Amino acid sequence: MARFLFSLFVLSTCLLTAQNLQSPSEFLGYELGTEFTRHHEVKDYYEYLAEQAPDRVKLTTYGQTNERRPLLLAYVSSANNMANLENIRQEHLKDIEGSGSTSTAIVWLSYNVHGNESVGTEASMQTVYELLTKKQSYLENTVVIIDPCVNPDGRDRYVNWYNQYKNTPHQLDANSKEHNEGWWSGRSNHYMFDLNRDWAWLTQVESQQRLKVYNQWLPHVHVDFHEQGMDNPYYFAPAAEPYHEVITNFQRDFQVTLGKNHAKYFDANGWFYFTKEIFDLFYPSYGDTYPTYNGAIGMTYEQGGSGRGGLGVINRIGDTLTLKDRIAHHHTTGLSTVEVSHQNAQKLNTEFRKFYQRKNFKYKSYVLNGDQDKIDALKQLLSQHEIKYGSPTVSSTKGYNYQTGANGNMAVSENSLVVSTNQPKGTLVKVLFEPNAKLSDSLTYDITAWSLPYAYGLKGIASTSLVPSSQVSQKNTASTISPGSYAYISDWNSMKDARFLAALLKEGIRVRKADHPFSVEGKSFQRGSLIITKGDNQNKSDFFTKLSAISKKHNQELTASSTGYVDSGKDFGSDYVQMITKPKIAIMSGEPTSTLRFGEIWHFFEQQLHYPISVIDSEYANYVDLEDYNILILPGGNYAGHFKEEQLKKLKDWVGSGGKLIAMDGAINGIAGENGFGIKKKEAAKDSTENKPMPHKNAEREQIKKAITGAIFKVKVDNSHPLAYGYGADYFTLKLGNASYEYLPWGNAAYLDSEFPNQVSGFAGSEARKKIGKSLIFGVESVGQGNVVYMVDNPLFRGFWENGKLFFANALFMVD
């Protein structure tokens, strides 16, 4: 009787609280959908709910953005569940080992990962309000975790822009300014990264902080709320092919269950929608695939509108799409998702437990050899994902060899790395490490290759056997150096070395580079090795103190030498041991550069290399004196016809007088040609089917023959060239398109050496493969006293192709 009375008291209290809760419209002072709500106002509303219903809402801050906006999570459930929240979480995680006892469904709803897909955050407020009022029954066996805005910096950028430019009242004409953002839209985060491509790579602070909490919950269901073009109807699950082969039958089937429930509500309202098209489940770094590979039902929901939607717009067929409409659609699928999860809570728990049972994957272990700095960088990523790794306890292993593309043996040591699929994150391990992911359909939404051994430049074996391993011991490689030595020498083969050099140059320490291999006092060093001499820094009174502090901070191993007289190679006073020029770097922003490509470089300098750059916008670039800089970077973009003849002449004169121009992917097209620099496009062989009529239904698949959707190719490297210092004879490049250029007369640092390129992973169309045969990847053209560095492929793509970054560092520091 007492228990019944207590339950009745709790229920009556919840009902009373629900009646007293203000809706978003009541709290904000305007009808939801008639204004855009800024992030601090969204935070205020969620704080209000947590204060008014503390027994059913818990609000936490899990981090902050680059622009210091808080990242929020709201936990919403029944009073009984909230009182037992930590126990529910722990019991749920026990299901990974098969021993959990909870029957509660855990649903995570993520809104506004793209800032200008602005309806998400608005819909989140209406959704959480109705869960606490009209739909309380859903919460009896369900915990809902709501991230109201994954990307607050981007969203506030869009909202502030829209409020600045919108008409009063708002204009429905799609041509009006309020429907057409400028170069830097609200889509990306502060560093112009697409956060929906960063779940696996974790280059951005938002992703890093979110994943820490996500791994503490590993929900049964995760929804990523998006928007698409304003003319498109709503998209919801089930997803399109290709599905990655690790996705279980239940994960596929439950998407259908959810989709049918959504359709029921959309049909009742006469709303249009589509399923099973465009948005696939393959690339691992999305907000639907990454959760899927961690056991969830991961889904993307796409509402029409995006940055062009505004408060209202007339679309292509003459219908008016309002922000209120968009909120209603996302709100409906959000509640429908929680409803279906509530109805299937027991099944979700059972299938989650099955997902984490040991799987019989073809490859049981991935064993990696290589430079310790690169292994350490990979270990850092694995730790962020809570993926376990170890050191092999055997001396050799056999299996698929990543370098050769065939089965073979590889000697291993205590410095090698073993990553096994025999662990809770085994499915994710397979997805991230497998040599060549199986494609069920070549028409995909994103890149089709990403294998981490290639991305990190490590030699690897994929073994069909479980390779025994032990715990990795942490090593400190920084050496203790003593004053008085003639010189101090560092290797040059990783981004860690590049950061060390950048720190030295910022402190005014002069550094030389070796253009030939050498040995001194019994130790051998390769091209690019850094030589820091006492003589070059004799006017710097705190030289040794600074050097010691920087080497310790960067955990950098230095070899002291008592002499500049080498055993072999070139002495330290030789012309082949040149001083590294301290770069003064400018980068062009604005049209015609791509914000994504610009952002990758900006982030590289500020968050990876930690070296200053000046950002020069294309609007005023003609008035800038380039003589103030010795390096100018042109990020990728659509440069066709951008540079006029006089602008190209200005660039050529600056390079000829000693400047260094770094042109990346699409920028090369803008500086090539009759009035430009010497690089030449490679003409493609004519497609034999071009003059043949084809059925309209085949057009898309015929076009894909000319495309490369993020495939990995093995290329030759001339590591005697300064642009390739620190590399071996081969490099695995991530190719993102079919752009191809002829070899340079001199200075081809990396190139495809065959008419039939060695494609090791991912999809590349037959015509595209022919076009890129025997073409340049990275090279340098000498022009007068200066150089043009060409980067046909983008080594900084999304910040995750770790092994490409040294090419870019070489372009900055080694090419002279």
Side-chain angles (χ1 to χ4, degrees), residues 234-410:
Y234 200 96
Y235 162 83
F236 50 70
E241 290 286 350
Y243 280 62
H244 197 287
E245 62 179 330
V246 301
I247 297 174
T248 67
N249 290 335
F250 172 74
Q251 287 174 314
R252 289 171 174 260
D253 294 342
F254 202 76
Q255 289 209 5
V256 175
T257 301
L258 282 158
K260 288 182 176 179
N261 204 64
H262 301 341
K264 176 181 67 177
Y265 293 111
F266 273 57
D267 290 343
N269 285 282
W271 297 337
F272 291 96
Y273 57 90
F274 68 98
T275 65
K276 302 182 288 292
E277 295 181 67
I278 302 174
F279 305 103
D280 59 65
L281 289 175
F282 193 66
Y283 172 68
S285 207
Y286 281 138
D288 53 10
T289 50
Y290 183 88
T292 298
Y293 302 148
N294 282 276
I297 312 300
M299 294 168 293
T300 291
Y301 296 168
E302 295 269 357
Q303 163 62 45
S306 202
R308 298 202 67 195
L311 295 178
V313 67
I314 297 175
N315 66 17
R316 183 178 55 200
I317 62 174
D319 288 343
T320 299
L321 175 68
T322 68
L323 181 59
K324 290 182 182 179
D325 297 330
R326 292 150 61 195
I327 291 172
H329 300 161
H330 265 345
H331 165 242
T332 298
T333 55
L335 288 180
S336 174
T337 299
V338 179
E339 176 190 25
V340 174
S341 302
H342 152 71
Q343 294 168 347
N344 294 273
Q346 187 63 57
K347 184 68 171 173
L348 286 168
N349 277 276
T350 299
E351 293 296 332
F352 183 84
R353 194 177 301 122
K354 287 181 182 177
F355 180 91
Y356 279 95
Q357 291 174 358
R358 187 175 301 181
K359 297 182 175 71
N360 187 29
F361 294 131
K362 176 181 178 180
Y363 297 122
K364 307 296 190 298
S365 294
Y366 299 93
V367 188
L368 306 170
N369 280 345
D371 177 74
Q372 191 60 49
D373 292 346
K374 294 175 183 176
I375 285 181
D376 288 343
L378 178 56
K379 282 158 56 176
Q380 181 180 353
L381 179 69
L382 298 179
S383 295
Q384 288 175 297
H385 287 293
E386 299 187 6
I387 291 174
K388 299 174 184 176
Y389 53 84
S391 295
T393 56
V394 294
S395 59
S396 67
T397 187
K398 63 181 180 179
Y400 178 88
N401 188 308
Y402 284 79
Q403 294 293 117
T404 65
N407 286 335
N409 297 315
M410 185 175 76

Side-chain angles (χ1 to χ4, degrees), residues 154-168:
R155 189 174 191 278
D156 266 7
R157 185 186 316 123
Y158 171 76
V159 170
N160 290 334
W161 172 86
Y162 183 82
N163 288 337
Q164 180 181 3
Y165 285 103
K166 78 176 180 70
N167 291 71
T168 302

Side-chain angles (χ1 to χ4, degrees), residues 366-372 375 379 389-397 410-419 458-459 467 469-473 475:
Y366 299 93
V367 188
L368 306 170
N369 280 345
D371 177 74
Q372 191 60 49
I375 285 181
K379 282 158 56 176
Y389 53 84
S391 295
T393 56
V394 294
S395 59
S396 67
T397 187
M410 185 175 76
V412 296
S413 70
E414 63 177 7
N415 295 322
S416 303
L417 193 68
V418 177
V419 186
L458 297 169
K459 296 178 181 178
V467 176
S469 63
S470 60
Q471 187 174 350
V472 174
S473 58
K475 297 178 180 179

Side-chain angles (χ1 to χ4, degrees), residues 675-724:
N675 297 312
F677 293 93
I679 193 168
K680 297 177 181 178
K681 285 186 178 180
K682 191 172 185 292
E683 296 299 325
K686 195 169 184 180
D687 184 357
S688 59
T689 64
E690 279 185 2
N691 296 323
K692 296 179 181 179
M694 67 180 69
H696 176 72
K697 66 179 182 178
N698 295 344
E700 190 174 20
R701 295 208 174 269
E702 284 298 319
Q703 284 299 114
I704 199 99
K705 290 181 180 179
K706 301 176 183 179
I708 299 176
T709 52
I712 300 171
F713 289 82
K714 186 177 183 178
V715 304
K716 290 291 182 184
V717 174
D718 175 8
N719 56 19
S720 69
H721 193 284
L723 187 57

Side-chain angles (χ1 to χ4, degrees), residues 61 92 104 137 302 323 334 409 433 468 506 512 551 564 613 635 663 697 736 755:
T61 299
H92 167 61
T104 305
S137 61
E302 295 269 357
L323 181 59
N409 297 315
F433 280 83
K506 283 195 298 181
R512 294 176 182 263
S551 65
I613 54 169
K697 66 179 182 178
L736 303 166
E755 293 288 1

